Amino acid sequence: MNKDLIGSLAWAGGILAVALGGTAARQMGYVDNDTLTRVVIGMNGLMIAWFGNRMPKAFVPSILARRVHRVGGWSLVLSGLLYAGFWAFAPFQIAVIGGCAAVLAGMAVTIGYCLVLRAKAKTA
């Protein structure tokens, strides 16, 4: 089985396990609903950061593609950590807005960099 697929399935299983375990803990009164929501959604940010960290390590033959992977990886790592940080420390409304803005900004940086490289390649 592909190594990337195993990692992705491990993340999916881990998030499901935390969600199910947290639900059981909430029903027993150990954890409140707010904390459980923050933990499960914050794990999504950590997963984004993990995928961003893996991105530049994938081999691609083109130098331009390697540059995109490097910039995209950094932007995903930073936006994923910001997303998780918002969900860990900010009030809910700010966490929703700030977390979504962080991920969208990371995507915008990657797409913008791709467009800049494409424009440079056309002129060269």
Side-chain angles (χ1 to χ4, degrees), residues 42-57:
M43 283 186 68
N44 291 329
L46 295 176
M47 181 183 64
I48 292 169
W50 183 78
F51 277 111
N53 186 41
R54 301 264 319 140
M55 194 172 165
K57 296 172 183 160

Side-chain angles (χ1 to χ4, degrees), residues 23-117:
T23 300
R26 185 190 53 163
Q27 290 174 347
M28 289 187 260
Y30 294 129
V31 177
D32 64 342
N33 193 31
D34 182 40
T35 303
L36 179 60
T37 302
R38 288 178 180 278
V39 167
V40 172
I41 293 178
M43 283 186 68
N44 291 329
L46 295 176
M47 181 183 64
I48 292 169
W50 183 78
F51 277 111
N53 186 41
R54 301 264 319 140
M55 194 172 165
K57 296 172 183 160
F59 176 75
V60 289
S62 169
I63 185 134
L64 295 178
R66 283 194 295 270
R67 288 180 184 171
V68 169
H69 274 213
R70 194 169 32 255
V71 170
W74 271 105
S75 66
L76 280 179
V77 166
L78 294 176
S79 64
L81 291 175
L82 276 171
Y83 182 88
F86 273 115
W87 279 101
F89 301 112
F92 260 65
Q93 277 300 96
I94 295 173
V96 169
I97 294 168
C100 289
V103 172
L104 289 173
M107 290 170 51
V109 165
T110 304
I111 292 169
Y113 188 71
C114 288
L115 293 175
V116 166
L117 283 181

